[in-house]
Amino acid sequence: MVSRFMETAANRDYSKEWQSPGSFPWIFQRPKAPIEGRPVSVRENYVRCVKGGQPYWMPAYFYETNTVWPDAMEEHPVPEVDGYDWWGVYWHMVKGIDGMITKPGTRTISEFANWKEELQWPDLSVVDFKTDGEKLQKLLDPDRPHIYECVEGIFERLHELIPFDESLIAFCEEPELLEEFFQKMADYKIESCDNIFKYYGRVDGVLYHDDWGTQRSGFFSNEMFREQLMPATSRFLKFVKDQGKFIELHSCGRNMQYVPEMIEMGIDMWTPQPNANDADYLYENYGDKMTFCFPLNIGKDWDESQIRAAVRDFVDHFGEKGRIMCWIMTEDMDPAKDEAARDELYHYSLEYYSRLYGRDI
């Protein structure tokens, strides 16, 4: 029997577009103009950078990728307006940031100890992944890498089902039951990714979302992370890697302490929260072991010469190990400034890597 929260998903016409214009999923789904005149495909260069394979230029993060954001995955309400996801979690759109949070006080089960009896897991067999995949494939640029946005990670889903403090208490009071929950959640993540890989055409990588910390530190000691969160997470990520996909991590918080665990789990790349982590420390200590994406903030009063100089400084500072991507961020969202920064990033880093790797470009 399909739960009441799965009924919409089971009966949706997936041949239609469902996201609200202007929302983040809608933006992610928009087709992008081809990037032409590069010595290798944008996809090949991006993969080289992710895996430490001597890129031809430093990628402009997000601009050079296509995001696979299925309408068929209702980890948030579809479309993203106030309402329930298919877990029975009520989400609220926060105006001004255009992002969703769970409604304060949301509780889908009476207490964590009762999750086996009370929690209704999504039945993915009733979802039309095939039709949704055929629809979204038409929007993807074949020259760009295609990255599945895998939101609401194994830990995040726990504290969306019950209050956050109770989620942390479960680590101490119900460790065995928590391990069962995380492993079942890993099964769900594997099943969902299996459908994405099967029905959405070429998928090169997975961007896995799971926030692990505050702006001061991680939520867990490294010992607790290794014992209770890492086993299920590692099993899920191994499935992804075994399918030949690279793994990017989105994990907000000051999570530098977990980088050794990230590397051990096979994570290829992390985009650290910029106001909580030390980019220089990460680059100096781990920049040859995994890829990082750091922001380049373009001031609203900068002219073109200042923008281009800042881009060159960024490449000079972070380019040598070949495993850094640049996320160009303009304060005033000026397309001309974005274009100038991307142009300088491509041409300057192309020359930089040609010298570094002895290429004749």
Side-chain angles (χ1 to χ4, degrees), residues 181-192:
F181 175 86
F182 284 153
Q183 290 293 350
K184 188 170 176 61
M185 188 60 66
D187 290 338
Y188 162 76
K189 286 294 183 183
I190 289 170
E191 182 183 2
S192 61

Side-chain angles (χ1 to χ4, degrees), residues 11 91 97 118 197 202 204 208 249-250 253 261 271 278 288 310 313 315 317 320 327 336 344:
N11 295 289
W91 291 81
I97 64 171
E118 298 177 359
F197 300 160
R202 194 192 80 230
D204 299 300
Y208 177 60
L249 175 68
H250 172 102
E261 285 77 11
T271 303
D278 186 332
D288 56 348
D313 289 343
V315 174
H317 190 69
E320 186 176 4
W327 196 346
E344 190 68 27

Side-chain angles (χ1 to χ4, degrees), residues 85 89-92 100-106 157 159-161:
D85 63 21
V89 174
Y90 193 88
W91 291 81
H92 172 66
M100 302 203 82
I101 62 169
T102 55
K103 183 179 179 181
T106 290
R157 181 51 70 182
H159 65 74
E160 290 160 0
L161 298 170

Side-chain angles (χ1 to χ4, degrees), residues 233-278:
T233 303
S234 295
R235 185 166 66 85
F236 162 59
L237 297 180
K238 182 179 185 301
F239 167 80
V240 174
K241 295 297 284 279
D242 286 349
Q243 307 308 304
K245 322 299 181 185
F246 60 77
I247 298 171
E248 299 182 15
L249 175 68
H250 172 102
S251 187
C252 289
R254 187 175 176 82
N255 295 330
M256 296 189 298
Q257 71 192 76
Y258 304 130
V259 171
E261 285 77 11
M262 294 178 195
I263 295 170
E264 188 175 332
M265 288 190 291
I267 293 170
D268 298 291
M269 173 175 159
W270 177 37
T271 303
Q273 184 179 334
N275 58 354
N277 295 278
D278 186 332

Side-chain angles (χ1 to χ4, degrees), residues 254-320:
R254 187 175 176 82
N255 295 330
M256 296 189 298
Q257 71 192 76
Y258 304 130
V259 171
E261 285 77 11
M262 294 178 195
I263 295 170
E264 188 175 332
M265 288 190 291
I267 293 170
D268 298 291
M269 173 175 159
W270 177 37
T271 303
Q273 184 179 334
N275 58 354
N277 295 278
D278 186 332
D280 286 341
Y281 174 87
L282 291 170
Y283 176 71
E284 290 167 7
N285 289 275
Y286 302 108
D288 56 348
K289 298 179 179 66
M290 71 182 298
T291 299
F292 297 99
C293 174
F294 298 141
L296 174 60
N297 296 301
I298 306 297
K300 61 183 177 181
D301 58 343
W302 290 14
D303 60 24
E304 183 173 337
S305 64
Q306 290 173 298
I307 293 171
R308 291 182 181 274
V311 170
R312 293 192 295 271
D313 289 343
F314 186 96
V315 174
D316 288 340
H317 190 69
F318 291 119
E320 186 176 4

Side-chain angles (χ1 to χ4, degrees), residues 121-348:
W121 291 74
D123 180 359
L124 300 186
S125 70
V126 305
V127 179
D128 189 359
F129 288 100
K130 183 175 185 296
T131 299
D132 191 50
E134 291 171 350
K135 174 188 68 182
L136 289 181
Q137 284 181 62
K138 299 174 184 178
L139 305 176
L140 303 177
D141 175 11
D143 194 57
R144 283 177 164 87
H146 301 169
I147 303 174
Y148 168 49
E149 197 95 5
C150 183
V151 299
E152 312 317 313
I154 288 172
F155 174 66
E156 286 180 335
R157 181 51 70 182
L158 172 64
H159 65 74
E160 290 160 0
L161 298 170
I162 56 177
F164 193 88
D165 57 343
E166 294 182 26
S167 299
L168 296 181
I169 290 172
F171 278 77
C172 299
E173 295 188 347
E174 303 280 2
E176 294 181 0
L177 194 60
L178 183 67
E179 170 68 10
E180 289 187 68
F181 175 86
F182 284 153
Q183 290 293 350
K184 188 170 176 61
M185 188 60 66
D187 290 338
Y188 162 76
K189 286 294 183 183
I190 289 170
E191 182 183 2
S192 61
C193 279
D194 192 43
N195 279 289
I196 303 303
F197 300 160
K198 183 176 180 180
Y199 292 114
Y200 288 76
R202 194 192 80 230
V203 177
D204 299 300
V206 170
L207 176 51
Y208 177 60
H209 288 237
D210 208 13
D211 293 344
W212 293 333
T214 69
Q215 286 186 273
R216 293 187 298 177
S217 70
F219 293 131
F220 329 96
S221 68
N222 287 66
E223 181 181 15
M224 180 176 284
F225 184 96
R226 280 184 168 274
E227 289 182 357
Q228 295 178 273
L229 188 58
M230 195 168 164
T233 303
S234 295
R235 185 166 66 85
F236 162 59
L237 297 180
K238 182 179 185 301
F239 167 80
V240 174
K241 295 297 284 279
D242 286 349
Q243 307 308 304
K245 322 299 181 185
F246 60 77
I247 298 171
E248 299 182 15
L249 175 68
H250 172 102
S251 187
C252 289
R254 187 175 176 82
N255 295 330
M256 296 189 298
Q257 71 192 76
Y258 304 130
V259 171
E261 285 77 11
M262 294 178 195
I263 295 170
E264 188 175 332
M265 288 190 291
I267 293 170
D268 298 291
M269 173 175 159
W270 177 37
T271 303
Q273 184 179 334
N275 58 354
N277 295 278
D278 186 332
D280 286 341
Y281 174 87
L282 291 170
Y283 176 71
E284 290 167 7
N285 289 275
Y286 302 108
D288 56 348
K289 298 179 179 66
M290 71 182 298
T291 299
F292 297 99
C293 174
F294 298 141
L296 174 60
N297 296 301
I298 306 297
K300 61 183 177 181
D301 58 343
W302 290 14
D303 60 24
E304 183 173 337
S305 64
Q306 290 173 298
I307 293 171
R308 291 182 181 274
V311 170
R312 293 192 295 271
D313 289 343
F314 186 96
V315 174
D316 288 340
H317 190 69
F318 291 119
E320 186 176 4
K321 297 180 181 181
R323 300 200 69 167
I324 299 297
M325 295 191 189
C326 180
W327 196 346
I328 297 165
M329 309 184 80
T330 53
E331 289 185 23
D332 54 0
M333 306 294 287
D334 184 342
K337 291 179 180 177
D338 283 339
E339 175 59 33
R342 289 197 301 266
D343 179 74
E344 190 68 27
L345 179 65
Y346 169 64
H347 287 99
Y348 186 76

Side-chain angles (χ1 to χ4, degrees), residues 24-70:
F24 280 121
W26 181 87
I27 292 170
F28 291 157
Q29 291 173 349
R30 294 311 89 200
K32 295 179 177 179
I35 300 174
E36 299 175 334
R38 303 290 170 100
V40 298
S41 72
V42 176
R43 173 178 177 260
E44 178 185 334
N45 187 71
Y46 191 95
V47 173
R48 281 173 172 264
C49 186
V50 169
K51 295 186 175 181
Q54 299 186 356
Y56 281 73
W57 67 90
M58 183 180 287
Y61 185 71
F62 185 69
Y63 171 74
E64 295 188 15
T65 61
N66 271 141
T67 300
V68 179
W69 188 294

